[in-house]
Amino acid sequence: MSEQSTIHYERTSPQVAKITFANPPVNLIAGETVLRLIQIVEELATDPDIQVVVFDSATPDFFYNHFDLAAAADFPAPEDEKAVPAWTDLVLKLSKAPYITIAAIRGRTRGGGNELALALDLRYASREKAIFGQPEVGSGLLPGGGGSERLPRAIGRDRALEAILTSDDYDADTAERWGWTTRALPDSELDAFVDTIVARLASFDRTSLASAKAQINRASLPPDADLVAAYREFAHSLTLPGFLARAAETQAVVEQAGIDFEYRLGHYIGTANQQR
C-alpha cells in the first residue's frame, strides 16, 4: 500500500484488523478509497482467522464523508448495465461478511460515508464529536449507497424521511435515541469501550459469531436488488437539471465558505436552497 492511500490498513492480531480513513482535510470518498476498500474486503473474505474489523478515522472532525463528486470519473464504473456497481457490491459484502464490523465514529459521517457506516454491524459514536447526515436530496440528488434502504429499517419511516428529505445534520445523541447508531459515548470513553467490545468478540468462536450474524441478517437486511436500483437512480440523478443547477450555485458557496462548508454542510444546504 502506498503512503498516499486514503486508507490505512493494519492487522492488530490474527483475529482483528483495523481500517482507518485518511483523506484530509475532510475525508471525502475518492475512487482510490473505494478500490482499496474492495481490495481489503476481498482479501479478508478468504482469511480463516479474522473475526473483527474496526473502522476509524485519522482525520480530525471527519469520520467518513460524502463522495467527492468533483472526481466522479475516478470511481470504478460497472462493466455493463447488469453488473452490480462497485460501491453497492462493497457495502453488500461488508453487511454479509463472516466477521463483525465495528465503527468508532468521531466527526462528520455523511452521504456515502454514512451509508458505509450503516452497512457495518456496530456503530459507536463520540457524543461530542459525531455528526450524521444524508445530504443528497438538498443537492438535487438521490441517496445511492444504501441510505434510503437501511435508514428506514434502523430508525423508522418517518425519521428516515426527515433525515433524507431535509438533508440536515444530526448529533450523536439524536442518532443514538433514534437507533441510527448502536451507542453514543463520551469521547474520552469511546476508544476503551470499542477496545473492550473488540477483545470480547475476538475471544469468541468464529463460526458462532458468523452464524449468529447471518441469522440476524435474514431478519433485517434490505434486498440486494433494492441497493442496486438505488445506486443506478443516484447515478441518473447526477444528470438531472435539479442537481446541475444546484452544483454551480453550491460551488460559489463553497468558494465563499471554504472548509466551513464541510463542517456545517446541513446548514449551508438549507440556506442555499432557501435563498434561490
Side-chain angles (χ1 to χ4, degrees):
M1 179 184 65
S2 85
E3 293 183 357
Q4 284 70 44
S5 177
T6 55
I7 296 288
H8 296 166
Y9 175 72
E10 178 185 8
R11 193 61 173 264
T12 59
S13 77
Q15 294 79 29
V16 179
K18 179 179 282 190
I19 294 172
T20 301
F21 303 119
N23 188 23
V26 296
N27 265 7
L28 292 178
I29 303 174
E32 192 275 339
T33 316
V34 180
L35 292 171
R36 179 63 180 141
L37 280 172
I38 290 170
Q39 179 186 13
I40 292 169
V41 169
E42 288 176 347
E43 291 172 358
L44 291 174
T46 59
D47 191 305
D49 298 318
I50 191 69
Q51 292 187 200
V52 186
V53 179
V54 180
F55 292 74
D56 65 5
S57 171
T59 304
D61 301 324
F62 292 87
F63 174 71
Y64 204 27
N65 213 346
H66 55 83
F67 286 112
D68 184 358
L69 295 180
D74 296 334
F75 286 86
E79 295 180 3
D80 57 64
E81 62 180 18
K82 295 182 179 180
V84 176
W87 180 262
T88 305
D89 188 53
L90 172 65
V91 295
L92 288 173
K93 285 179 176 176
L94 284 170
S95 295
K96 300 174 185 179
Y99 45 82
I100 310 305
T101 52
I102 299 176
I105 300 173
R106 284 187 173 90
R108 286 116 184 107
T109 306
R110 301 191 185 103
N114 179 62
E115 291 170 329
L116 183 133
L118 288 169
L120 304 182
D121 301 320
L122 300 169
R123 293 173 297 283
Y124 298 110
S126 164
R127 177 161 282 121
E128 298 93 335
K129 296 183 179 181
I131 293 173
F132 302 86
Q134 286 288 157
E136 292 87 357
V137 169
S139 302
L141 295 171
L142 293 173
S148 49
E149 290 70 43
R150 299 189 198 273
L151 262 185
R153 288 168 167 81
I155 68 178
R157 178 178 181 272
D158 55 340
R159 286 171 170 168
L161 280 168
E162 180 189 307
I164 291 173
L165 297 183
T166 67
S167 300
D168 209 348
D169 290 333
Y170 291 81
D171 61 31
D173 285 330
T174 302
E176 180 189 42
R177 188 168 64 251
W178 285 10
W180 199 326
T181 64
T182 310
R183 193 185 296 238
L185 299 119
D187 187 72
S188 61
E189 300 175 15
L190 178 62
D191 293 333
F193 185 89
V194 170
D195 288 346
T196 299
I197 293 290
V198 170
R200 183 182 181 93
L201 296 179
S203 73
F204 287 178
D205 176 69
R206 186 179 190 269
T207 300
S208 294
L209 284 175
S211 299
K213 174 177 172 175
Q215 286 182 323
I216 294 168
N217 282 352
R218 286 202 302 265
S220 59
L221 290 186
D224 292 5
D226 288 0
L227 273 75
V228 173
Y231 191 90
R232 289 174 179 155
E233 290 161 358
F234 158 73
H236 177 63
S237 70
L238 289 168
T239 69
L240 296 178
F243 167 68
L244 296 175
R246 285 170 173 79
E249 296 168 359
T250 299
Q251 184 57 39
V253 176
V254 170
E255 291 174 359
Q256 182 177 9
I259 199 170
D260 191 56
F261 181 84
E262 292 293 346
Y263 275 86
R264 298 196 296 150
L265 182 59
H267 163 77
Y268 283 110
I269 285 175
T271 57
N273 279 281
Q274 292 176 47
Q275 293 172 2
R276 295 184 82 235

PDB file of all heavy atoms in Angstrom, residues 9-33:
ATOM      1  N   TYR A   9      -4.478   0.328   6.512  1.00  0.00           N
ATOM      2  CA  TYR A   9      -4.932  -0.997   6.930  1.00  0.00           C
ATOM      3  C   TYR A   9      -3.887  -1.605   7.859  1.00  0.00           C
ATOM      4  O   TYR A   9      -2.694  -1.602   7.548  1.00  0.00           O
ATOM      5  CB  TYR A   9      -5.147  -1.895   5.721  1.00  0.00           C
ATOM      6  CG  TYR A   9      -5.494  -3.320   6.073  1.00  0.00           C
ATOM      7  CD1 TYR A   9      -6.739  -3.637   6.603  1.00  0.00           C
ATOM      8  CD2 TYR A   9      -4.576  -4.345   5.883  1.00  0.00           C
ATOM      9  CE1 TYR A   9      -7.060  -4.940   6.931  1.00  0.00           C
ATOM     10  CE2 TYR A   9      -4.891  -5.652   6.202  1.00  0.00           C
ATOM     11  CZ  TYR A   9      -6.140  -5.941   6.725  1.00  0.00           C
ATOM     12  OH  TYR A   9      -6.445  -7.238   7.061  1.00  0.00           O
ATOM     13  N   GLU A  10      -4.347  -2.121   8.984  1.00  0.00           N
ATOM     14  CA  GLU A  10      -3.442  -2.696   9.977  1.00  0.00           C
ATOM     15  C   GLU A  10      -4.053  -3.974  10.542  1.00  0.00           C
ATOM     16  O   GLU A  10      -5.237  -4.009  10.892  1.00  0.00           O
ATOM     17  CB  GLU A  10      -3.209  -1.692  11.111  1.00  0.00           C
ATOM     18  CG  GLU A  10      -2.327  -2.201  12.228  1.00  0.00           C
ATOM     19  CD  GLU A  10      -2.216  -1.216  13.378  1.00  0.00           C
ATOM     20  OE1 GLU A  10      -2.948  -0.196  13.364  1.00  0.00           O
ATOM     21  OE2 GLU A  10      -1.420  -1.482  14.310  1.00  0.00           O
ATOM     22  N   ARG A  11      -3.239  -5.004  10.620  1.00  0.00           N
ATOM     23  CA  ARG A  11      -3.668  -6.251  11.270  1.00  0.00           C
ATOM     24  C   ARG A  11      -3.117  -6.207  12.692  1.00  0.00           C
ATOM     25  O   ARG A  11      -1.926  -6.356  12.908  1.00  0.00           O
ATOM     26  CB  ARG A  11      -3.142  -7.457  10.496  1.00  0.00           C
ATOM     27  CG  ARG A  11      -3.778  -8.773  10.884  1.00  0.00           C
ATOM     28  CD  ARG A  11      -5.286  -8.759  10.632  1.00  0.00           C
ATOM     29  NE  ARG A  11      -5.866 -10.066  10.845  1.00  0.00           N
ATOM     30  CZ  ARG A  11      -6.082 -10.933   9.859  1.00  0.00           C
ATOM     31  NH1 ARG A  11      -5.768 -10.596   8.606  1.00  0.00           N
ATOM     32  NH2 ARG A  11      -6.635 -12.100  10.117  1.00  0.00           N
ATOM     33  N   THR A  12      -3.986  -5.982  13.665  1.00  0.00           N
ATOM     34  CA  THR A  12      -3.537  -5.813  15.052  1.00  0.00           C
ATOM     35  C   THR A  12      -3.366  -7.134  15.780  1.00  0.00           C
ATOM     36  O   THR A  12      -2.695  -7.195  16.809  1.00  0.00           O
ATOM     37  CB  THR A  12      -4.506  -4.918  15.827  1.00  0.00           C
ATOM     38  OG1 THR A  12      -5.811  -5.510  15.814  1.00  0.00           O
ATOM     39  CG2 THR A  12      -4.579  -3.533  15.188  1.00  0.00           C
ATOM     40  N   SER A  13      -3.984  -8.187  15.268  1.00  0.00           N
ATOM     41  CA  SER A  13      -3.827  -9.542  15.804  1.00  0.00           C
ATOM     42  C   SER A  13      -4.346 -10.495  14.744  1.00  0.00           C
ATOM     43  O   SER A  13      -4.953 -10.058  13.752  1.00  0.00           O
ATOM     44  CB  SER A  13      -4.602  -9.717  17.114  1.00  0.00           C
ATOM     45  OG  SER A  13      -5.984  -9.885  16.869  1.00  0.00           O
ATOM     46  N   PRO A  14      -4.152 -11.801  14.889  1.00  0.00           N
ATOM     47  CA  PRO A  14      -4.711 -12.721  13.889  1.00  0.00           C
ATOM     48  C   PRO A  14      -6.220 -12.591  13.730  1.00  0.00           C
ATOM     49  O   PRO A  14      -6.748 -12.808  12.631  1.00  0.00           O
ATOM     50  CB  PRO A  14      -4.326 -14.101  14.444  1.00  0.00           C
ATOM     51  CG  PRO A  14      -3.088 -13.859  15.238  1.00  0.00           C
ATOM     52  CD  PRO A  14      -3.292 -12.516  15.869  1.00  0.00           C
ATOM     53  N   GLN A  15      -6.915 -12.204  14.797  1.00  0.00           N
ATOM     54  CA  GLN A  15      -8.375 -12.124  14.754  1.00  0.00           C
ATOM     55  C   GLN A  15      -8.907 -10.733  14.429  1.00  0.00           C
ATOM     56  O   GLN A  15     -10.091 -10.587  14.111  1.00  0.00           O
ATOM     57  CB  GLN A  15      -8.974 -12.561  16.109  1.00  0.00           C
ATOM     58  CG  GLN A  15      -8.765 -14.010  16.469  1.00  0.00           C
ATOM     59  CD  GLN A  15      -7.368 -14.276  17.008  1.00  0.00           C
ATOM     60  OE1 GLN A  15      -6.741 -13.394  17.607  1.00  0.00           O
ATOM     61  NE2 GLN A  15      -6.861 -15.487  16.780  1.00  0.00           N
ATOM     62  N   VAL A  16      -8.083  -9.705  14.507  1.00  0.00           N
ATOM     63  CA  VAL A  16      -8.570  -8.323  14.442  1.00  0.00           C
ATOM     64  C   VAL A  16      -7.790  -7.516  13.406  1.00  0.00           C
ATOM     65  O   VAL A  16      -6.565  -7.593  13.322  1.00  0.00           O
ATOM     66  CB  VAL A  16      -8.460  -7.637  15.819  1.00  0.00           C
ATOM     67  CG1 VAL A  16      -8.949  -6.191  15.742  1.00  0.00           C
ATOM     68  CG2 VAL A  16      -9.248  -8.413  16.874  1.00  0.00           C
ATOM     69  N   ALA A  17      -8.532  -6.720  12.624  1.00  0.00           N
ATOM     70  CA  ALA A  17      -7.925  -5.779  11.673  1.00  0.00           C
ATOM     71  C   ALA A  17      -8.526  -4.401  11.895  1.00  0.00           C
ATOM     72  O   ALA A  17      -9.637  -4.260  12.419  1.00  0.00           O
ATOM     73  CB  ALA A  17      -8.152  -6.227  10.236  1.00  0.00           C
ATOM     74  N   LYS A  18      -7.789  -3.380  11.489  1.00  0.00           N
ATOM     75  CA  LYS A  18      -8.273  -2.001  11.602  1.00  0.00           C
ATOM     76  C   LYS A  18      -8.123  -1.304  10.259  1.00  0.00           C
ATOM     77  O   LYS A  18      -7.075  -1.380   9.616  1.00  0.00           O
ATOM     78  CB  LYS A  18      -7.517  -1.232  12.683  1.00  0.00           C
ATOM     79  CG  LYS A  18      -7.961   0.223  12.818  1.00  0.00           C
ATOM     80  CD  LYS A  18      -7.196   0.946  13.908  1.00  0.00           C
ATOM     81  CE  LYS A  18      -7.735   0.585  15.282  1.00  0.00           C
ATOM     82  NZ  LYS A  18      -7.167   1.457  16.341  1.00  0.00           N
ATOM     83  N   ILE A  19      -9.193  -0.622   9.843  1.00  0.00           N
ATOM     84  CA  ILE A  19      -9.200   0.176   8.628  1.00  0.00           C
ATOM     85  C   ILE A  19      -9.418   1.626   9.026  1.00  0.00           C
ATOM     86  O   ILE A  19     -10.422   1.954   9.673  1.00  0.00           O
ATOM     87  CB  ILE A  19     -10.309  -0.284   7.669  1.00  0.00           C
ATOM     88  CG1 ILE A  19     -10.013  -1.710   7.173  1.00  0.00           C
ATOM     89  CG2 ILE A  19     -10.453   0.676   6.502  1.00  0.00           C
ATOM     90  CD1 ILE A  19     -11.142  -2.326   6.380  1.00  0.00           C
ATOM     91  N   THR A  20      -8.480   2.492   8.669  1.00  0.00           N
ATOM     92  CA  THR A  20      -8.517   3.891   9.080  1.00  0.00           C
ATOM     93  C   THR A  20      -8.636   4.781   7.858  1.00  0.00           C
ATOM     94  O   THR A  20      -7.825   4.705   6.932  1.00  0.00           O
ATOM     95  CB  THR A  20      -7.248   4.264   9.868  1.00  0.00           C
ATOM     96  OG1 THR A  20      -7.144   3.415  11.024  1.00  0.00           O
ATOM     97  CG2 THR A  20      -7.296   5.717  10.320  1.00  0.00           C
ATOM     98  N   PHE A  21      -9.670   5.627   7.847  1.00  0.00           N
ATOM     99  CA  PHE A  21      -9.865   6.566   6.744  1.00  0.00           C
ATOM    100  C   PHE A  21      -8.918   7.748   6.920  1.00  0.00           C
ATOM    101  O   PHE A  21      -8.825   8.332   8.002  1.00  0.00           O
ATOM    102  CB  PHE A  21     -11.311   7.053   6.711  1.00  0.00           C
ATOM    103  CG  PHE A  21     -12.306   5.930   6.587  1.00  0.00           C
ATOM    104  CD1 PHE A  21     -13.253   5.714   7.569  1.00  0.00           C
ATOM    105  CD2 PHE A  21     -12.283   5.081   5.500  1.00  0.00           C
ATOM    106  CE1 PHE A  21     -14.163   4.680   7.464  1.00  0.00           C
ATOM    107  CE2 PHE A  21     -13.188   4.046   5.382  1.00  0.00           C
ATOM    108  CZ  PHE A  21     -14.143   3.840   6.368  1.00  0.00           C
ATOM    109  N   ALA A  22      -8.226   8.108   5.842  1.00  0.00           N
ATOM    110  CA  ALA A  22      -7.222   9.166   5.937  1.00  0.00           C
ATOM    111  C   ALA A  22      -7.133   9.909   4.611  1.00  0.00           C
ATOM    112  O   ALA A  22      -6.226   9.671   3.806  1.00  0.00           O
ATOM    113  CB  ALA A  22      -5.865   8.577   6.317  1.00  0.00           C
ATOM    114  N   ASN A  23      -8.097  10.787   4.385  1.00  0.00           N
ATOM    115  CA  ASN A  23      -8.084  11.619   3.179  1.00  0.00           C
ATOM    116  C   ASN A  23      -8.348  13.064   3.589  1.00  0.00           C
ATOM    117  O   ASN A  23      -9.403  13.624   3.324  1.00  0.00           O
ATOM    118  CB  ASN A  23      -9.142  11.144   2.179  1.00  0.00           C
ATOM    119  CG  ASN A  23      -9.026  11.852   0.836  1.00  0.00           C
ATOM    120  OD1 ASN A  23      -7.962  12.355   0.484  1.00  0.00           O
ATOM    121  ND2 ASN A  23     -10.119  11.887   0.094  1.00  0.00           N
ATOM    122  N   PRO A  24      -7.372  13.683   4.280  1.00  0.00           N
ATOM    123  CA  PRO A  24      -7.580  15.053   4.757  1.00  0.00           C
ATOM    124  C   PRO A  24      -7.726  16.024   3.587  1.00  0.00           C
ATOM    125  O   PRO A  24      -7.276  15.725   2.479  1.00  0.00           O
ATOM    126  CB  PRO A  24      -6.296  15.320   5.564  1.00  0.00           C
ATOM    127  CG  PRO A  24      -5.277  14.380   5.006  1.00  0.00           C
ATOM    128  CD  PRO A  24      -6.036  13.159   4.585  1.00  0.00           C
ATOM    129  N   PRO A  25      -8.384  17.170   3.815  1.00  0.00           N
ATOM    130  CA  PRO A  25      -8.782  17.666   5.141  1.00  0.00           C
ATOM    131  C   PRO A  25     -10.161  17.202   5.628  1.00  0.00           C
ATOM    132  O   PRO A  25     -10.446  17.360   6.797  1.00  0.00           O
ATOM    133  CB  PRO A  25      -8.783  19.185   4.941  1.00  0.00           C
ATOM    134  CG  PRO A  25      -9.190  19.346   3.500  1.00  0.00           C
ATOM    135  CD  PRO A  25      -8.534  18.219   2.770  1.00  0.00           C
ATOM    136  N   VAL A  26     -11.010  16.621   4.729  1.00  0.00           N
ATOM    137  CA  VAL A  26     -12.391  16.354   5.155  1.00  0.00           C
ATOM    138  C   VAL A  26     -12.840  14.929   4.829  1.00  0.00           C
ATOM    139  O   VAL A  26     -14.037  14.627   4.868  1.00  0.00           O
ATOM    140  CB  VAL A  26     -13.378  17.379   4.544  1.00  0.00           C
ATOM    141  CG1 VAL A  26     -13.077  18.777   5.062  1.00  0.00           C
ATOM    142  CG2 VAL A  26     -13.362  17.350   3.020  1.00  0.00           C
ATOM    143  N   ASN A  27     -11.899  14.022   4.534  1.00  0.00           N
ATOM    144  CA  ASN A  27     -12.208  12.599   4.319  1.00  0.00           C
ATOM    145  C   ASN A  27     -13.287  12.359   3.267  1.00  0.00           C
ATOM    146  O   ASN A  27     -14.210  11.553   3.471  1.00  0.00           O
ATOM    147  CB  ASN A  27     -12.618  11.932   5.641  1.00  0.00           C
ATOM    148  CG  ASN A  27     -11.451  11.243   6.323  1.00  0.00           C
ATOM    149  OD1 ASN A  27     -10.315  11.361   5.888  1.00  0.00           O
ATOM    150  ND2 ASN A  27     -11.730  10.531   7.400  1.00  0.00           N
ATOM    151  N   LEU A  28     -13.188  13.027   2.134  1.00  0.00           N
ATOM    152  CA  LEU A  28     -14.087  12.715   1.035  1.00  0.00           C
ATOM    153  C   LEU A  28     -13.802  11.313   0.506  1.00  0.00           C
ATOM    154  O   LEU A  28     -12.670  10.826   0.563  1.00  0.00           O
ATOM    155  CB  LEU A  28     -13.912  13.734  -0.096  1.00  0.00           C
ATOM    156  CG  LEU A  28     -14.360  15.169   0.190  1.00  0.00           C
ATOM    157  CD1 LEU A  28     -14.068  16.045  -1.014  1.00  0.00           C
ATOM    158  CD2 LEU A  28     -15.841  15.229   0.554  1.00  0.00           C
ATOM    159  N   ILE A  29     -14.847  10.655  -0.019  1.00  0.00           N
ATOM    160  CA  ILE A  29     -14.687   9.332  -0.609  1.00  0.00           C
ATOM    161  C   ILE A  29     -14.165   9.511  -2.033  1.00  0.00           C
ATOM    162  O   ILE A  29     -14.837  10.076  -2.889  1.00  0.00           O
ATOM    163  CB  ILE A  29     -16.014   8.571  -0.631  1.00  0.00           C
ATOM    164  CG1 ILE A  29     -16.580   8.454   0.780  1.00  0.00           C
ATOM    165  CG2 ILE A  29     -15.821   7.187  -1.247  1.00  0.00           C
ATOM    166  CD1 ILE A  29     -17.966   7.842   0.835  1.00  0.00           C
ATOM    167  N   ALA A  30     -12.973   9.039  -2.265  1.00  0.00           N
ATOM    168  CA  ALA A  30     -12.343   9.131  -3.581  1.00  0.00           C
ATOM    169  C   ALA A  30     -12.351   7.759  -4.248  1.00  0.00           C
ATOM    170  O   ALA A  30     -12.574   6.736  -3.602  1.00  0.00           O
ATOM    171  CB  ALA A  30     -10.909   9.640  -3.437  1.00  0.00           C
ATOM    172  N   GLY A  31     -12.089   7.745  -5.558  1.00  0.00           N
ATOM    173  CA  GLY A  31     -12.037   6.480  -6.269  1.00  0.00           C
ATOM    174  C   GLY A  31     -11.019   5.527  -5.675  1.00  0.00           C
ATOM    175  O   GLY A  31     -11.256   4.315  -5.574  1.00  0.00           O
ATOM    176  N   GLU A  32      -9.876   6.057  -5.261  1.00  0.00           N
ATOM    177  CA  GLU A  32      -8.839   5.209  -4.660  1.00  0.00           C
ATOM    178  C   GLU A  32      -9.336   4.580  -3.367  1.00  0.00           C
ATOM    179  O   GLU A  32      -8.999   3.424  -3.063  1.00  0.00           O
ATOM    180  CB  GLU A  32      -7.577   6.046  -4.403  1.00  0.00           C
ATOM    181  CG  GLU A  32      -6.345   5.229  -4.049  1.00  0.00           C
ATOM    182  CD  GLU A  32      -6.239   4.867  -2.572  1.00  0.00           C
ATOM    183  OE1 GLU A  32      -6.883   5.549  -1.747  1.00  0.00           O
ATOM    184  OE2 GLU A  32      -5.512   3.912  -2.243  1.00  0.00           O
ATOM    185  N   THR A  33     -10.145   5.333  -2.617  1.00  0.00           N
ATOM    186  CA  THR A  33     -10.710   4.801  -1.382  1.00  0.00           C
ATOM    187  C   THR A  33     -11.536   3.565  -1.672  1.00  0.00           C
ATOM    188  O   THR A  33     -11.405   2.533  -1.003  1.00  0.00           O
ATOM    189  CB  THR A  33     -11.628   5.848  -0.712  1.00  0.00           C
ATOM    190  OG1 THR A  33     -11.009   7.127  -0.726  1.00  0.00           O
ATOM    191  CG2 THR A  33     -11.957   5.449   0.710  1.00  0.00           C
TER     192      THR A  33
END
